Amino acid sequence: DDDDDDDDDDDDPVPNVRPTLAPVPSPTPFPPCNVCGNGRSVNLPEDRVRVEGFGMVECGELERDGLNRRISPFECPLIPDQINSACGCNPPCNVCGNGRPVGNPNAVVSIPGEEPIRCRDLQTAGLAGSITPSECMIVPGFIRETCGCDPSTPAPTRPPTRPPTPAPVPAPVPFPPCNVCGNGRSVSLPGRMVRVEGFGMVECGELERDGLNRQISPFQCPLIPDQINSECGCNPPCNVCGNGRPIGNPNAIVNIPGEPAMLCEDLQAAGLAGSITASECEVIPGFIRDICVCDPSTPAPTRPPTRPPVPAPVASPVCVPVGKKGGKGGKKGGYGCSP
């Protein structure tokens, strides 16, 4: 019989089966970002503004990038304070107050910390959303008379009379105290230098003293916190890992979108010093948890070292008699012991 009935399959070729690759999950898109904040929209889409991490960009283009999920959740909360005036994100502001128009549009008004401006241009800026709500509350007090916000009915012309005796000039009313950090917070880095519009480069501690000593106007005061809160350590302490956990790898380098690379220990120190805003503090843990080891696993128990074995004692040699009849000094032995 020529049939090979044995079960030896060694001669059959082995098929080359390629492993099936697991599907690569698509990246999770960023959530939509409202660059104005609080659901507001850009009113000046063609104006250009400088935004950290984006450079000079058109307001409308920045708004589209946010709606198209191209802005990370770490960058998004940092944008509104940088663009709200330049892009017209604020609600319309009536600079006279109570809906009244300016009565003297060509008059030039000076507001502390700002360049002189015509009343009609100031009114246009307010209606376009370039004045913040906090500024809008105090602008009327500075421009009411100059811009003619309360035009009275002109009195009939009288014949000239002697000029009245001028009334005594009242002493200037001092400014109210200004908390430069905002919300009652204090400067944590008084020796740090910071650039503030209308003040130039100034020490954080000196700026805080000027505010407490009533040397900062109520128009300038609400504009200061957003310019200094990170540099001067005005923010509440931020635990960058979240839930009070310390970093487990202080020398690791972490990259956060829009920020330079830094050591985990430096990022933690900045958070504790108040240099990280509350909105940043909420999103940072998601970027650093693995790299900075915010969730250190419990180390395996260490076994005690094994002591080396104690060597067994070596027995002393036993002398055996070897001479004739065991006597001393036999022919092959000395003193009755084998050599």
Side-chain angles (χ1 to χ4, degrees):
D1 189 356
D2 294 335
D3 293 336
D4 188 0
D5 294 331
D6 61 17
D7 295 331
D8 187 6
D9 295 330
D10 293 342
D11 296 335
D12 294 338
V14 178
N16 186 12
V17 180
R18 294 185 177 180
T20 302
L21 299 178
V24 178
S26 57
T28 304
F30 293 144
C33 170
N34 176 255
V35 293
C36 278
N38 298 327
R40 296 174 303 197
S41 298
V42 163
N43 290 326
L44 303 172
E46 296 180 358
D47 282 13
R48 294 179 66 81
V49 64
R50 182 176 298 280
V51 180
E52 187 176 357
F54 295 82
M56 290 298 295
V57 62
E58 282 192 355
C59 298
E61 178 184 352
L62 188 68
E63 185 174 46
R64 287 191 295 274
D65 286 345
L67 297 177
N68 291 330
R69 303 169 181 263
R70 297 172 185 163
I71 298 177
S72 76
F74 179 83
E75 296 168 305
C76 186
L78 310 182
I79 293 176
D81 287 340
Q82 302 180 63
I83 74 166
N84 58 3
S85 294
C87 294
C89 286
N90 303 295
C93 168
N94 176 262
V95 292
C96 275
N98 299 326
R100 295 171 299 204
V102 296
N104 193 1
N106 294 320
V108 177
V109 67
S110 295
I111 297 175
E114 300 292 331
E115 296 291 332
I117 187 173
R118 290 182 183 272
C119 295
R120 64 183 177 190
D121 295 335
L122 182 65
Q123 180 173 257
T124 300
L127 297 177
S130 295
I131 297 178
T132 66
S134 58
E135 296 171 337
C136 190
M137 293 176 63
I138 57 178
V139 165
F142 287 96
I143 73 165
R144 184 172 288 118
E145 294 182 4
T146 306
C147 293
C149 286
D150 296 308
S152 58
T153 304
T157 304
R158 292 183 178 183
T161 58
R162 291 188 307 170
T165 303
V169 179
V173 178
F175 294 143
C178 169
N179 176 253
V180 293
C181 277
N183 297 326
R185 296 174 301 197
S186 299
V187 163
S188 297
L189 303 171
R192 184 76 62 83
M193 298 292 293
V194 63
R195 183 177 296 280
V196 180
E197 186 175 356
F199 295 83
M201 290 298 293
V202 61
E203 278 194 356
C204 298
E206 179 182 351
L207 187 68
E208 184 175 46
R209 288 191 294 274
D210 286 348
L212 297 177
N213 291 332
R214 304 170 182 263
Q215 297 175 18
I216 297 177
S217 77
F219 181 82
Q220 295 168 305
C221 187
L223 311 181
I224 293 176
D226 287 340
Q227 302 180 63
I228 73 165
N229 58 2
S230 293
E231 292 294 331
C232 295
C234 287
N235 302 297
C238 167
N239 176 261
V240 292
C241 274
N243 298 326
R245 295 170 301 203
I247 58 174
N249 192 359
N251 294 321
I253 295 177
V254 66
N255 288 284
I256 298 175
E259 298 293 329
M262 65 171 59
L263 293 174
C264 294
E265 63 180 353
D266 294 337
L267 182 64
Q268 180 172 257
L272 297 177
S275 295
I276 296 177
T277 66
S279 57
E280 294 170 338
C281 191
E282 290 182 2
V283 295
I284 283 178
F287 287 95
I288 73 165
R289 183 170 290 118
D290 292 336
I291 298 174
C292 294
V293 189
C294 286
D295 296 306
S297 57
T298 304
T302 304
R303 292 190 302 176
T306 304
R307 299 195 319 182
V310 178
V314 179
S316 301
V318 179
C319 293
V320 179
V322 296
K324 290 182 177 180
K325 298 183 180 180
K328 289 186 180 181
K331 288 184 178 181
K332 294 184 179 179
Y335 300 97
C337 292
S338 176

